[in-house]
Amino acid sequence: MIVNYTESGWQVITQRSHGLLAAQICANWNFNDQFGSTWIETLTAVAEHDDVYNEFENDDLLNEYGGPVNFKMTVFRKDYCTRLIEMALTKSSWIALLVSRHIQFVHGSNPAAANFIKGLKKQEKDWINTRGVTSKEVTEAYLLLQLCDAFSLLICQGIIQPEQRKIEISIGPGQISYMCVATGINKLLVSPWPFEKESFRVSFESRTLPRLTFKTAAEFRKELWSAKTVVHHFIISSL
């Protein structure tokens, strides 16, 4: 989950809400660059790349001080990654390829994940053969997922720079670096412009918990369920 400290308490954005925001961004990608017949699968992978983490079911939600665990504090969990890959494979090997690349990106420097990632790379060869694609094509599609993921995280964490200072979103397809600048309240400009329309709206949901510490994960989940849901809207444009 994404956890932001605010004057009102912990603002919590679930991993799945963040993933949905990433998919909203991806859905507006330039029509001519939508990876042909794999487009719906690519969009699905973007939407579901964090679906294995469910704050209303998991128990690893609190740190040693009883506060909610921000996504940056999470570690490699083989059982989570295995389940994520298995969920992807129930849909398609293309989705599994993109999810595999994401696991490698997130956990590639973690020694604990080395054997798991080694196994993923072996499986990738079979999935690539199944789809009749190249590793380069997978890489290009994953760069789109990574870009949309990074943009969603910037928005959800509220770390877009003030006073119209540019911040890099990520490297996207074609190794193009995309930048973002805030031009007003919840108004974001992206350069260079990679989307179909000149502007579009996106949104995500959050819940704020006034309590700063919790005794158990069950206690935290109960308060998260009962917290008021707030919808945040943003306009992304080229001008």
Side-chain angles (χ1 to χ4, degrees):
M1 58 189 156
I2 300 166
V3 182
N4 302 315
Y5 180 71
T6 71
E7 293 181 356
S8 302
W10 297 118
Q11 182 194 59
V12 176
I13 298 105
T14 67
Q15 292 292 110
R16 296 183 179 197
S17 181
H18 143 65
L20 184 60
L21 173 57
Q24 292 174 53
I25 295 168
C26 185
N28 284 280
W29 198 250
N30 189 308
F31 182 79
N32 292 326
D33 297 321
Q34 289 185 356
F35 300 97
S37 62
T38 64
W39 175 242
I40 297 300
E41 293 166 274
T42 301
L43 184 59
T44 299
V46 175
E48 299 180 355
H49 73 277
D50 270 337
D51 263 16
V52 74
Y53 196 88
N54 186 340
E55 291 81 357
F56 298 113
E57 294 179 357
N58 294 3
D59 288 323
D60 54 342
L61 302 174
L62 303 178
N63 59 34
E64 60 183 311
Y65 304 108
V69 173
N70 190 33
F71 78 101
K72 293 180 179 180
M73 302 164 63
T74 56
V75 296
F76 170 72
R77 288 277 303 267
K78 182 179 178 180
D79 55 339
Y80 284 1
C81 291
T82 299
R83 185 177 171 216
L84 187 58
I85 287 292
E86 290 175 347
M87 289 168 60
L89 279 171
T90 63
K91 293 186 176 69
S92 79
S93 50
W94 178 260
I95 295 174
L97 280 165
L98 298 187
V99 170
S100 171
R101 292 294 176 93
H102 189 61
I103 291 172
Q104 293 173 49
F105 173 75
V106 173
H107 300 295
S109 61
N110 188 340
N115 287 335
F116 186 82
I117 288 175
K118 184 178 180 181
L120 282 180
K121 289 180 178 179
K122 289 182 179 179
Q123 288 180 294
E124 276 195 11
K125 295 178 181 179
D126 292 333
W127 299 333
I128 284 174
N129 287 334
T130 296
R131 297 303 300 224
V133 296
T134 65
S135 180
K136 182 179 179 181
E137 288 174 311
V138 178
T139 298
E140 283 295 292
Y142 177 66
L143 284 173
L144 176 58
L145 188 156
Q146 184 177 305
L147 174 68
C148 297
D149 177 49
F151 199 5
S152 174
L153 287 174
L154 286 177
I155 294 172
C156 289
Q157 292 178 94
I159 56 178
I160 304 294
Q161 297 294 299
E163 299 177 1
Q164 297 192 10
R165 293 197 294 269
K166 289 185 177 181
I167 184 171
E168 183 181 40
I169 301 170
S170 182
I171 301 295
Q175 295 297 316
I176 298 172
S177 175
Y178 290 94
M179 308 296 291
C180 178
V181 61
T183 58
I185 298 176
N186 292 354
K187 294 182 179 180
L188 306 175
L189 182 149
V190 174
S191 177
W193 185 248
F195 302 106
E196 182 69 18
K197 297 184 290 186
E198 291 185 358
S199 69
F200 58 94
R201 292 177 178 270
V202 297
S203 65
F204 69 91
E205 296 182 356
S206 74
R207 297 170 175 85
T208 298
L209 309 180
R211 287 181 57 184
L212 298 183
T213 61
F214 303 86
K215 294 181 180 179
T216 65
E219 186 179 71
F220 173 79
R221 283 197 301 269
K222 182 178 179 181
E223 293 217 11
L224 190 62
W225 268 121
S226 60
K228 179 182 178 181
T229 299
V230 176
V231 183
H232 307 265
H233 298 275
F234 284 79
I235 296 175
I236 299 174
S237 67
S238 60
L239 300 173

